[in-house]
Amino acid sequence: KAGVTQTPRYLIKTRGQQVTLSCSPISGHRSVSWYQQTPGQGLQFLFEYFSETQRNKGNFPGRFSGRQFSNSRSEMNVSTLELGDSALYLCASTSGLLGTQYFGPGTRLLVL
Amino acid sequence: AQSVAQPEDQVNVAEGNPLTVKCTYSVSGNPYLFWYVQYPNRGLQFLLKYITGDNLVKGSYGFEAEFNKSQTSFHLKKPSALVSDSALYFCAVRDSGRDSNYQLIWGAGTKLIIKP
């Protein structure tokens, strides 16, 4: 089975722009979670989608949003980018509500 | 509230020595416990998990972890460390109780450094 894929792998944006990141889960997995990882803050949970519904949400401002499509692929969007949004964004997929999360390689976002 | 604690930011071990990376947790129901490893500039890789059954769980790369319910701990261990084990290790817990939202809660991570 193919693993979790994330596109793009690297991205450079400027302050005020918006960005959309994509995640394709492992085939058959219906849950997708998104995380932000920075050196100072560790792994921060953004949100989780299961069957196109947002099930859990972390403590991030409304500039961070996401969605999941009927094929379980997910996108996250960050509007009005700030310098502090520079981070590694990780996506993970799970087969069910209690399963093991499998991670993609991440998208490294640099905001200038 | 659910929580995970990894009390050590960094652990230093000489190659060939046994290693332990500590993790304690707090959940109201039965815990599902996980260990992940992250190498530089990579995503997280699943190492092992405890769901139920034998308290000693064996995983990838020779790692194992022991579930201790009374101490609410799930420490990661390896009998003989390799330099290539140097990485960032994360512990995570999911509350499997009926009233849980099943969200995976993460520890802050422990940097493991194995010295030749």
Side-chain angles (χ1 to χ4, degrees), chain A residues 35 37 43 45 48 55-56 88 90 94 97-105 108, chain B residues 32 34 36 38 41-44 46 49 88 90 94-96 101-104 106:
Chain A
Y35 296 89
Q37 187 177 30
L43 199 63
F45 172 71
E48 177 187 12
R55 287 193 343 103
N56 291 302
L88 180 66
L90 293 164
T94 314
L97 294 175
L98 295 171
T100 301
Q101 285 192 354
Y102 293 93
F103 283 79
R108 188 164 294 281
Chain B
Y32 283 22
F34 303 83
Y36 286 80
Q38 185 179 32
N41 300 313
R42 304 280 294 277
L44 275 68
F46 168 69
K49 67 181 177 184
L88 187 57
F90 289 94
R94 202 194 295 273
D95 187 341
S96 64
N101 62 4
Y102 306 125
Q103 182 178 334
L104 196 59
W106 293 85

Side-chain angles (χ1 to χ4, degrees), chain B residues 12-20 78-86 112-116:
Chain B
N12 298 297
V13 177
E15 186 177 25
N17 283 0
L19 69 87
T20 298
K78 187 173 182 180
S80 179
L82 300 172
V83 173
S84 58
D85 293 330
S86 299
L112 177 63
I113 298 176
I114 310 298
K115 299 182 178 179

Side-chain angles (χ1 to χ4, degrees), chain A residues 52-65:
Chain A
E52 302 179 66
T53 301
Q54 187 180 87
R55 287 193 343 103
N56 291 302
K57 188 176 189 303
N59 294 323
F60 277 80
R63 300 186 296 107
F64 292 81
S65 63

